[in-house]
Amino acid sequence: MKVRSYSKWLVRGGLLALLLASLYAVVMVYSAGQPMLALSVLAAIGAAVFVYSSPRMYAYRYLFPGIAAAIVFVLLPLVYTVAIGFTNYSSKNLLSFERATQYLLDETYKAEGESYAFSLHADGNAYRIRLEDSQKGNVFVTEALALKKAEPLTIPAIPFDTARVVLGEPVQLRELIKLQGALKAVSVTFPDGRGASMSGLREFSPVHKLYEKQADGSLRNQESGTVLKPNFKTGFYEAADGTQQQPGFKVGIGGANFVHIFTDPAFQEPFIRIFLWTVAFSALTVLFALTVGIVLAVVLNWEALRFRMVYRTLLFLPYAVPGFISILVFKGLFNQSFGEINLILDALFGVKPAWFSDPFLAKVMILIVNTWLGYPYMMVLCMGLIKAIPADLYEASAIAGAGPLTNFFKITLPLIIKPLTPLLISSFAFNFNNFVLISLLTAGRPDFLDTKVPAGTTDLLVSYTYRIAFEDSGQNFGLAAAISTVIFVIVAILSLVNLRLTKVNQAEPR
């Protein structure tokens, strides 16, 4: 009894420690400037405490982990992606308004005055800055600095003669670069009142803040006198002549990204072509894989066929090998100069097709590889469904004098196509977003030659989105999120059709 009591208290202590650790994580997330994320985590912790402590929620204790995982890993990323689609989030508009403003306010420019040769010397666990007047030869040194954080710090520079310190060897350039962020935040004040800050890896110079914030929120350039005002439509600080100052900041732009997709010729034309290819690729892949799979399933169910188990094992191998390995193997086989496929075609017919540079052949190659990867799944499904067909039907058909083709088209195919339909739609939806195949085999190439955005003839919508988000020089995350939202809507419609067909099948009387 005592052992059970100790175990009970040990479990309670562990749960209390877990709760305190979770609350500490919430505080840390909030301190990092993520209040919405901290609030979401706090809500999840509160829901978990309520579900596992309330007797009324006992039935939901087993469902809670799955529901919480679906919310965290599916729903929240989906909502976040859709929200980004309504913003100008990109590599030029990466920061929040407050951080972009602070970035500009922290910028400095080198003012007129004397420069100082600078070196950094270790002093125990701290560092001392040594400054030497390049014209007069006066040497100054600072007190020992920790230099652990990039925090603004103003310190006096003491004449080296009066400091009475012994400096060791200067730190190496590699360590100096590592401490560069903290050093840039240090301002040194000399005995005559002049100041200097780090202006290079080997130099301290008089520097001033480049921008000064005005009462109306605008920023005045103290070097040129230009006034920058924030434009909350474009997400940039702009001068009177419209010149935009980077970095920009994130702002909501409504449905502009979606309008770009469907109306801007730069995005509209490749989008439509890629959308049509995506639909064709998904449909043809399902058709070819089903055709090969169902034919092999019928053949392997033929009772008179010898060594059926051997054939089944061999035909199942493409399903057992990881897909990315098969794709890379086929990439080598289709190599134009050294691939075995071209070597055989050259020996037999004297041709060496350009599988990776010709748009049509590249699409043919993708369909061949994806059919190879997909037919075992269809074959396994069809074999199971064919086994469920009563043998009496085939016996009656044989008595009536029907042949194998009549049996296939009049009995086998009609009886298995209905239960296969939802799975075929699921397969279509999967191939609609088959990013791995395109990325590993062709990377979307060959590219269109008449488009302004990165797009290829073998790109699917999902790989096209990836290239806009991460390979384009502008890295337009907002536009990529808008395209992802469109893809999600299309896949959601397919899922609804799938569910509707499933209900129809369930409602049919037996």
Side-chain angles (χ1 to χ4, degrees), residues 28-41:
M28 295 301 294
V29 171
Y30 181 79
S31 302
Q34 300 291 335
M36 292 303 298
L37 181 60
L39 186 62
S40 301
V41 176

Side-chain angles (χ1 to χ4, degrees), residues 183-314:
L183 284 168
K184 282 189 173 180
V186 175
S187 298
V188 177
T189 304
F190 294 97
D192 60 0
R194 292 174 296 117
S197 297
M198 185 179 182
S199 57
L201 288 176
R202 297 299 183 191
E203 185 182 61
F204 264 55
S205 304
V207 294
H208 294 311
K209 293 291 184 183
L210 182 59
Y211 292 101
E212 181 184 27
K213 192 170 186 177
Q214 306 293 308
D216 60 353
S218 62
L219 302 180
R220 181 179 177 277
N221 188 315
Q222 300 195 85
E223 186 177 16
S224 64
T226 306
V227 176
L228 302 178
K229 293 183 178 180
N231 187 332
F232 291 99
K233 293 183 178 178
T234 61
F236 286 100
Y237 274 96
E238 295 180 351
D241 60 358
T243 304
Q244 297 177 336
Q245 181 64 41
Q246 293 192 28
F249 48 88
K250 288 183 290 184
V251 293
I253 56 174
N257 286 325
F258 296 91
V259 173
H260 272 303
I261 295 172
F262 295 107
T263 61
D264 189 340
F267 295 98
Q268 183 184 18
E269 188 176 356
F271 181 86
I272 293 175
R273 282 189 279 181
I274 291 172
F275 173 75
L276 294 176
W277 158 240
T278 303
V279 174
F281 162 77
S282 305
L284 291 175
T285 292
V286 174
L287 176 63
F288 294 155
L290 175 64
T291 303
V292 176
I294 198 170
V295 169
L296 291 176
V298 171
V299 172
L300 291 176
N301 273 284
W302 185 27
E303 297 293 339
L305 183 67
R306 299 180 63 188
F307 310 117
R308 285 194 300 166
M309 289 303 297
V310 176
Y311 299 143
R312 284 179 183 176
T313 305
L314 292 175

Side-chain angles (χ1 to χ4, degrees), residues 118 120 127 129 145 147 149-150 175-187 197-198 201 204:
F118 145 70
L120 188 67
Y127 300 89
I129 298 174
L145 305 172
L147 298 180
K149 296 181 180 179
E175 187 175 358
L176 184 62
I177 293 174
K178 189 188 300 181
L179 300 170
Q180 188 178 7
L183 284 168
K184 282 189 173 180
V186 175
S187 298
S197 297
M198 185 179 182
L201 288 176
F204 264 55

Side-chain angles (χ1 to χ4, degrees), residues 1-13:
M1 293 295 291
K2 286 185 177 179
V3 173
R4 184 177 298 178
S5 176
Y6 290 149
S7 301
K8 190 175 180 180
W9 281 106
L10 189 62
V11 171
R12 289 181 177 178

Side-chain angles (χ1 to χ4, degrees), residues 3 19 29 41 73 78 89 118 151 162 170 178 191 203 292 308 321 327 376 395 438 460 477:
V3 173
L19 177 62
V29 171
V41 176
F73 297 112
L78 176 64
Y89 191 29
F118 145 70
E151 295 178 346
T162 62
K178 189 188 300 181
E203 185 182 61
V292 176
R308 285 194 300 166
V321 178
I327 295 169
E395 292 175 2
I438 302 301
L460 303 181
F477 306 122

Side-chain angles (χ1 to χ4, degrees), residues 281 322-328 331 366 369-370 373 430-444 458-460 462-464 466:
F281 162 77
F324 71 93
I325 293 179
S326 300
I327 295 169
L328 294 177
K331 191 173 184 178
I366 288 173
V369 175
N370 211 28
L373 295 173
F430 170 80
N431 284 294
F432 206 86
N433 292 321
N434 199 338
F435 174 79
V436 175
L437 173 68
I438 302 301
S439 177
L440 293 181
L441 192 58
T442 65
T458 59
D459 263 324
L460 303 181
V462 63
S463 60
Y464 172 57
Y466 176 83

